[in-house]
């Protein structure tokens, strides 16, 4: 069964850092592009970041550019999101998702990140 | 303000047909980028129900259908059921932003 499981969420103060992980199983992780999508409380879905199969291509939403870093370890079937200089508006559920050309699926269950003092 | 515009809410009685619109521009839907639709139930991750404008993943009932014309797309749900109550999001790619983009989401209520 194809599965994605996020971890690493939690409460962090403004200006702090957090690293999310996403463990993949049930499919050939190294063959797929991956992405992070978030949903702030009461808001809609927002694409955050994309990484190609071999890190060749990496893209970020303007809202996180320069603060977030996406990476992957194909040997560990894992996707990561390093989040630095966190702001209140970064408070959200963060989902990792596999990409098929330009659509997303499956998605993980999500990791809650709360930025607050 | 989302790049793709959806109505905040739609409703219908069980058995009826509801249509959710997704308006874009020449930088995304109008540029030929495919539109995808997701169903999001509370407490669960989003699930794709239509991809590449009109294709359904296995397991998604044929009551769900997608279409696209010009700079807009639509999701139609026929024979509405109570279990269809959820938030629905359209998604595409925007060449001006260089980003994948979502609509603001539409809350579907089965009356």
């Amino acid at each position: 069964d194809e599965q994605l499981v996020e971890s690493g969420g939690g409460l962090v103060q403004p200006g702090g850092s957090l690293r999310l992980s996403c463990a993949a199983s049930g499919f050939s992780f190294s063959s797929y592009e991956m992405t992070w999508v978030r949903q702030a409380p009461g808001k809609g879905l927002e694409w955050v970041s994309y990484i190609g199969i071999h890190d060749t291509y990496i893209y970020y939403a303007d809202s996180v550019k320069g603060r977030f870093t996406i990476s992957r370890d194909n040997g560990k079937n894992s996707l990561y999101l390093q989040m630095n200089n966190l702001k209140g508006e970064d408070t959200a559920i963060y989902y990792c998702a596999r990409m098929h050309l330009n659509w997303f699926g499956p998605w993980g269950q999500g990791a809650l990140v709360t930025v607050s003092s | 303000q989302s790049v793709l515009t959806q109505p905040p809410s739609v409703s219908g009685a069980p058995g009826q047909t509801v249509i959710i619109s997704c308006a874009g521009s020449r930088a995304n839907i109008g540029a030929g980028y495919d539109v995808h639709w997701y169903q999001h139930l509370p407490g669960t991750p989003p699930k794709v129900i239509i991809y590449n404008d009109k294709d359904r993943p296995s397991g998604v009932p044929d009551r769900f259908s997608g279409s696209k014309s010009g700079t807009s797309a639509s999701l139609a749900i026929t024979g509405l059921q109570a279990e269809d109550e959820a938030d629905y999001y359209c998604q595409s790619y925007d060449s001006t932003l260089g980003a994948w983009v979502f609509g603001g989401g539409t809350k579907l209520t089965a009356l």
Side-chain angles (χ1 to χ4, degrees), chain A residues 35 37 39 43-47 50 59-62 95 99-110, chain B residues 33 36 38 40 43-48 51-52 57 87 89 91-93 97-104:
Chain A
T35 193
V37 177
Q39 183 177 34
K43 303 293 185 183
L45 300 172
E46 178 190 17
W47 169 76
Y50 158 99
Y59 305 112
Y60 300 98
D62 286 344
Y95 297 99
M99 291 195 68
H100 300 258
L101 292 178
N102 282 319
W103 60 273
F104 312 132
W107 300 53
Q109 283 294 118
Chain B
Y33 292 105
H36 321 290
Y38 301 85
H40 194 192
T44 69
K47 181 183 81 167
V48 67
Y51 65 95
N52 297 350
D87 294 325
Y89 294 88
Q91 177 254 311
S92 187
Y93 181 82
L97 296 173
W100 289 268
V101 291
F102 287 92

Side-chain angles (χ1 to χ4, degrees), chain B residues 1-2 10 23 31 40 46 54 58 73 80-81 83 86 91-93 99:
Chain B
Q1 212 73 322
S2 300
V10 296
H40 194 192
K54 56 178 176 56
S58 60
L80 188 65
Q81 299 182 4
E83 66 200 47
Q91 177 254 311
S92 187
Y93 181 82

Side-chain angles (χ1 to χ4, degrees), chain A:
Chain A
D1 201 22
E2 299 173 339
Q3 193 172 16
L4 296 167
V5 179
E6 299 94 339
S7 60
L11 174 63
V12 60
Q13 293 187 338
S17 299
L18 213 56
R19 188 196 195 206
L20 301 181
S21 299
C22 171
S25 60
F27 65 96
S28 179
F29 177 77
S30 60
S31 300
Y32 287 91
E33 303 155 299
M34 297 293 295
T35 193
W36 289 95
V37 177
R38 69 184 181 183
Q39 183 177 34
K43 303 293 185 183
L45 300 172
E46 178 190 17
W47 169 76
V48 172
S49 184
Y50 158 99
I51 187 167
I53 293 172
H54 299 299
D55 302 5
T56 309
Y57 297 101
I58 287 177
Y59 305 112
Y60 300 98
D62 286 344
S63 57
V64 306
K65 202 172 294 182
R67 301 186 298 120
F68 288 13
T69 302
I70 191 172
S71 62
R72 65 190 297 163
D73 185 334
N74 288 338
K76 294 183 177 180
N77 292 334
S78 292
L79 175 73
Y80 306 101
L81 186 67
Q82 176 67 43
M83 303 181 293
N84 297 332
N85 190 20
L86 282 161
K87 306 175 182 180
E89 52 263 42
D90 296 319
T91 294
I93 297 174
Y94 286 74
Y95 297 99
C96 64
R98 188 178 73 183
M99 291 195 68
H100 300 258
L101 292 178
N102 282 319
W103 60 273
F104 312 132
W107 300 53
Q109 283 294 118
L112 177 61
V113 173
T114 303
V115 183
S116 175
S117 55

Side-chain angles (χ1 to χ4, degrees), chain B residues 37-102:
Chain B
W37 292 90
Y38 301 85
Q39 181 187 61
H40 194 192
L41 295 161
T44 69
K47 181 183 81 167
V48 67
I49 55 172
I50 295 291
Y51 65 95
N52 297 350
D53 300 336
K54 56 178 176 56
D55 294 331
R56 268 189 321 276
S58 60
V60 174
D62 59 6
R63 303 185 294 102
F64 294 87
S65 63
S67 63
K68 185 175 81 175
S69 178
T71 59
S72 295
S74 295
L75 171 70
I77 308 171
T78 59
L80 188 65
Q81 299 182 4
E83 66 200 47
D84 297 333
E85 279 203 342
D87 294 325
Y88 291 86
Y89 294 88
C90 60
Q91 177 254 311
S92 187
Y93 181 82
D94 190 283
S95 59
T96 298
L97 296 173
W100 289 268
V101 291
F102 287 92

